[in-house]
Amino acid sequence: MAKPESKTEFFYNEKGLIAIGSPVKLQILNLLREEPKSFDEIVKFTAKAKSTISVHLNNLRSCELVEENFDPRDRRRKIYSLTSRYMGCSQEPFIEHYRSLLEKAPACRNDRFCFAEILLHALYFGFEAYGIDNAPVVKTIGNDLGRSISPIFESEIFEELLKEIGDFLEFQGKCRVNLLVDLPGLQIEDDFKASSMPVTGQPFCTLREGIIEGILREKLKKEYRVTETECYGSGHEHCLFKITI
């Protein structure tokens, strides 16, 4: 049995953003984020009474967060699947990184690129400072942006497209990009982040993750996943983006 959640999580569907705080509902939604499950599997996972789970599932269906279908192999069984996207959650406010970034802002007064970077990362750490983990929605926005700019890239061969993406990131971000064919992935060295970003113990370049992922998915029509495994935020001297299908 999974431990019940004790926070608010945000999900998005065509009706907009929906906040869920019920521990049992969050157990169900996070289980369905992995893959569709039967009613009995949900009951077993939550260790709740069937009547309780039935009420919660009906409520989630009314919010259009979950849909119900018959199992094609056995029409006596019902299968539940997620019809919404996870967008983030509440968390304990952590203001240290945000304050550190704000203290560096005055030094960028005569450098437009520097201030633009400060602004971007202030938004990221600002949400963290005020108790919101917005990484999932930031990556989704990155995906949207990547898909929208995909027509500017010419190649439909993975290695060649990755090289194009690296060249694009170098030009737009004033960084140095190394193509890692064997991984595969991209290693990015960024002087601004090296000098300005606080070490948080975890990667934080979720927007760039999403942009790379969106370009690859739109151009190559495959479900690529881009994950930042090393970052200035985790104490490394570069950002490393690993690509898988």
Side-chain angles (χ1 to χ4, degrees):
M1 180 189 71
K3 183 180 179 180
E5 304 290 344
S6 58
K7 58 187 175 183
T8 299
E9 296 190 4
F10 309 104
F11 292 80
Y12 176 83
N13 61 17
E14 291 183 354
K15 291 184 175 180
L17 199 65
I18 299 175
I20 300 294
S22 161
V24 178
K25 285 185 176 67
L26 290 179
Q27 282 185 287
I28 295 171
L29 289 168
N30 287 314
L31 176 64
L32 298 182
R33 282 169 61 188
E34 300 173 5
E35 61 181 358
K37 298 289 184 181
S38 70
F39 180 81
D40 288 339
E41 287 174 322
I42 296 171
V43 169
K44 182 179 179 180
F45 178 79
T46 58
K48 299 295 182 181
K50 289 185 177 182
S51 57
T52 300
I53 296 305
S54 181
V55 169
H56 283 299
L57 283 171
N58 286 336
N59 184 263
L60 291 171
R61 288 173 59 205
S62 69
C63 296
E64 298 182 16
L65 296 176
V66 167
E67 69 176 2
E68 174 188 274
N69 292 290
F70 288 107
D71 187 339
R73 297 167 297 182
D74 183 354
R75 293 188 61 81
R76 294 172 297 179
R77 293 195 342 145
K78 293 179 179 179
I79 300 295
Y80 295 87
S81 57
L82 204 63
T83 55
S84 53
R85 289 187 290 177
Y86 173 66
M87 287 298 191
C89 65
S90 61
Q91 63 178 19
E92 182 180 350
F94 192 78
I95 202 167
E96 179 182 342
H97 305 140
Y98 185 53
R99 285 175 174 166
S100 174
L101 195 66
L102 294 179
E103 290 171 359
K104 295 180 173 68
C108 295
R109 60 175 295 180
N110 296 320
D111 186 333
R112 292 178 180 175
F113 174 78
C114 175
F115 188 78
E117 285 287 311
I118 287 284
L119 178 62
L120 177 64
H121 290 101
L123 288 172
Y124 181 89
F125 290 116
F127 276 94
E128 178 185 78
Y130 290 105
I132 300 174
D133 173 13
N134 70 334
V137 69
V138 169
K139 185 165 183 176
T140 298
I141 292 170
N143 254 275
D144 294 340
L145 183 57
R147 292 177 188 276
S148 71
I149 64 174
S150 64
I152 71 176
F153 298 92
E154 297 180 357
S155 181
E156 295 183 359
I157 299 172
F158 175 75
E159 290 81 4
E160 294 178 5
L161 178 58
L162 205 57
K163 176 64 166 60
E164 279 192 75
I165 294 172
D167 292 342
F168 173 80
L169 293 175
E170 280 194 347
F171 176 75
Q172 296 292 339
K174 292 186 178 180
C175 55
R176 294 174 296 282
V177 181
N178 296 316
L179 176 61
L180 306 176
V181 177
D182 294 334
L183 188 60
L186 295 171
Q187 180 177 293
I188 301 177
E189 298 176 13
D190 189 318
D191 290 338
F192 172 82
K193 289 181 179 176
S195 62
S196 302
M197 291 298 97
V199 175
T200 66
Q202 61 186 8
F204 57 74
C205 301
T206 47
L207 183 66
R208 190 171 277 173
E209 268 185 349
I211 291 173
I212 299 169
E213 191 173 273
I215 296 169
L216 290 170
R217 290 184 174 189
E218 187 67 19
K219 290 295 293 186
L220 304 182
K221 306 303 181 185
K222 294 182 180 180
E223 288 299 304
Y224 285 95
R225 180 177 296 277
V226 178
T227 305
E228 187 182 24
T229 58
E230 297 176 3
C231 179
Y232 290 100
S234 56
H236 294 85
E237 295 182 353
H238 57 256
C239 295
L240 180 62
F241 297 88
K242 183 178 179 181
I243 301 169
T244 57
I245 297 181

